[in-house]
Amino acid sequence: MTDGTNPPSNPQPEPAPGNGGYGFPPVPPASAAGYGYPPGAPAPGGGGSFGPPPGAPADGGGYGYPQAGSQPGAQPGPYQHQQAPAPAAAPQQWAQGLPNMGGPGAPGAPGPGLPGPFVPQSDQPDWEAMADRSAAEKRKKRLWMIGAAVTVLALLAGGGTFLLLGGDDKGGNEAKNDAPSPSVSASPSPSASKSKAPVDNTPTVKDDPTQIRDRSGKAPLKMGPDAGVFPIEKRFEIRTKGNENSYAESAKGVVDTSKSFTVSAHVWNRAPKGRQIALSQGNEKSFSFELGLDQVNGKPTWVFRVQTGDQGAEATAVTVTGESPKMEKTFSTLTGTYDAERKQIALYVNGKKTGEAPVPGVFQAQGPLQLARSRHEDKWTAPWSGAMETVQTYDVVLSPAQIDTLKPGRVDAATKPTGSWLLY
């Protein structure tokens, strides 16, 4: 308590939550009292309110707001804050800024249900809404970053898949030049394999592009002036024009025809007309074996033929044949075998056996290995017109299962070939 001259030294405590504030109640005040200007009618005699009721100023003033008509110099009553008197028109100015909600009183006065003039007008930011918007923006940004990362990985995977798959054997075959240039393409750089050390797939001998490199032995094949090695897709092939200058040969014999052997080549021909031999070996007089294409009973067919007599006569030659659905302008794998113990030869087309025949033996001609031609009666005959790759020779008889696994560019995993050319 004070004597009315000295206000309390301590500020008034904050009202308890739910019971109103200093002119800023969080909820509308009770109908009979309030710290501001209650919307309800004042009690008779001016009681029940700490502010002046509308139209009837209290004798002792309100809670810190002297009313119009009070005597100048009047001392503040008890429980009042000592502060500068507010202008009498201040409450009316607050009221004039509010819309008319249809309540009683003069125009501009607050209507029923409208908070008093000292209720805050939502100047404070909505922290909860701002936090929600910030969280939503972070979620959108995180989802966008995840989506971008997935897109990049998908593109990289697609690109990697594309590089890994490459092309197939049929991609550029139809567009082969009918008259390939005799020049040899540049040797490629070594490519990687499943082993730790890179595998050298260079098709020609170093410093001599006219010789096809032997990947398994020491028998390079020297090309004639009208033959050449060309890159196609992921591999290399020799192309020949079908004339006497379009061939390749070794310096010495590669296959021992007195023992069991296997020979194979992946071949492509322009047209199945007449006799065309892809791979052979013999001497200056006759072939010992030949593998390629011939006409049998007026029809083109794949052939594996061996000579059993030393004179090279047609009567002493033994032939096995085979066919495939398409025999021109498409690659086919031809494989011939000779079993010296069983005295039997066989032909496989694309890994499948197409024929076999018994033989008394094979003429032992240890001349050079030939690509794209064969020797008949002291003459070079049957030039190959087309291309070939993955040429291989073995000094054993490969089993049907092993032959079935022979694929272009690969050799049998269990047996090392005695010679291999144009692998990839």
Side-chain angles (χ1 to χ4, degrees):
M1 298 293 293
T2 65
D3 57 1
T5 60
N6 296 320
S9 60
N10 294 326
Q12 288 291 328
E14 296 289 335
N19 294 327
Y22 292 95
F24 294 90
V27 295
S31 59
Y35 290 95
Y37 292 85
S49 174
F50 289 92
D59 294 338
Y63 194 78
Y65 289 90
Q67 304 301 311
S70 59
Q71 294 298 325
Q75 296 296 323
Y79 302 105
Q80 290 179 327
H81 287 291
Q82 186 174 2
Q83 59 186 359
Q92 184 63 24
Q93 292 173 355
W94 277 90
Q96 289 176 355
L98 298 174
N100 189 346
M101 302 301 292
L114 184 66
F118 295 102
V119 175
Q121 302 301 310
S122 302
D123 343 356
Q124 297 296 327
D126 191 341
W127 301 108
E128 184 176 354
M130 293 174 65
D132 290 342
R133 286 195 297 271
S134 177
E137 291 176 357
K138 289 181 179 179
R139 284 195 299 271
K140 290 180 180 179
K141 184 176 181 181
R142 184 166 57 252
L143 291 175
W144 182 88
M145 293 177 67
I146 293 174
V150 170
T151 302
V152 171
L153 290 176
L155 290 174
L156 291 176
T161 302
F162 175 78
L163 290 176
L164 286 173
L165 290 176
D168 58 14
D169 287 342
K170 300 178 182 178
N173 292 338
E174 297 296 338
K176 291 183 186 298
N177 185 359
D178 288 340
S181 169
S183 62
V184 182
S185 63
S187 299
S189 58
S191 61
S193 67
K194 293 182 180 178
S195 60
K196 294 182 179 179
V199 176
D200 184 5
N201 291 323
T202 306
T204 55
V205 175
K206 184 179 181 181
D207 300 327
D208 189 356
T210 65
Q211 294 193 70
I212 304 174
R213 185 169 69 95
D214 184 357
R215 292 275 297 274
S216 302
K218 297 180 179 180
L221 304 177
K222 181 71 174 180
M223 290 183 287
D226 287 350
V229 171
F230 294 83
I232 177 171
E233 297 175 349
K234 299 182 295 182
R235 64 190 190 276
F236 291 86
E237 61 185 23
I238 179 175
R239 297 181 188 175
T240 54
K241 295 182 179 180
N243 60 39
E244 59 181 8
N245 292 320
S246 192
Y247 64 91
E249 66 177 354
S250 64
K252 58 182 180 179
V254 176
V255 179
D256 186 353
T257 58
S258 66
K259 300 177 182 179
S260 297
F261 65 86
T262 299
V263 292
S264 181
H266 196 53
V267 301
W268 185 97
N269 70 294
R270 291 187 178 87
K273 297 179 180 179
R275 178 182 290 181
Q276 298 183 60
I277 299 302
L279 183 63
S280 71
Q281 183 175 293
N283 59 14
E284 70 283 350
K285 186 175 184 61
S286 176
F287 69 94
S288 179
F289 71 84
E290 59 184 13
L291 180 69
L293 183 70
D294 203 351
Q295 296 282 334
V296 176
N297 297 325
K299 293 177 56 178
T301 182
W302 304 117
V303 298
F304 178 54
R305 183 181 289 118
V306 299
Q307 180 58 254
T308 62
D310 58 2
Q311 298 302 311
E314 291 286 345
T316 55
V318 179
T319 304
V320 287
T321 64
E323 296 180 1
S324 58
K326 187 176 181 181
M327 300 181 64
E328 63 178 311
K329 295 184 179 179
T330 186
F331 268 103
S332 300
T333 301
L334 307 181
T335 305
T337 63
Y338 169 58
D339 188 337
E341 293 183 1
R342 297 175 58 204
K343 294 291 192 290
Q344 193 170 48
I345 61 173
L347 173 65
Y348 295 79
V349 178
N350 296 325
K352 305 301 179 183
K353 183 186 287 188
T354 60
E356 59 183 9
V359 293
V362 177
F363 173 46
Q364 299 180 23
Q366 301 301 321
L369 185 71
Q370 304 287 333
L371 265 62
R373 66 181 182 177
S374 182
R375 194 73 174 177
H376 279 254
E377 299 178 353
D378 305 331
K379 296 178 182 179
W380 292 115
T381 62
W384 182 268
S385 177
M388 67 185 78
E389 63 181 37
T390 314
V391 179
Q392 305 176 65
T393 62
Y394 294 83
D395 58 2
V396 297
V397 177
L398 296 182
S399 68
Q402 289 175 305
I403 293 173
D404 189 48
T405 61
L406 288 179
K407 303 297 180 183
R410 300 181 183 180
V411 298
D412 177 65
T415 307
K416 181 181 178 180
T418 56
S420 59
W421 304 265
L422 299 171
L423 301 182
Y424 58 93

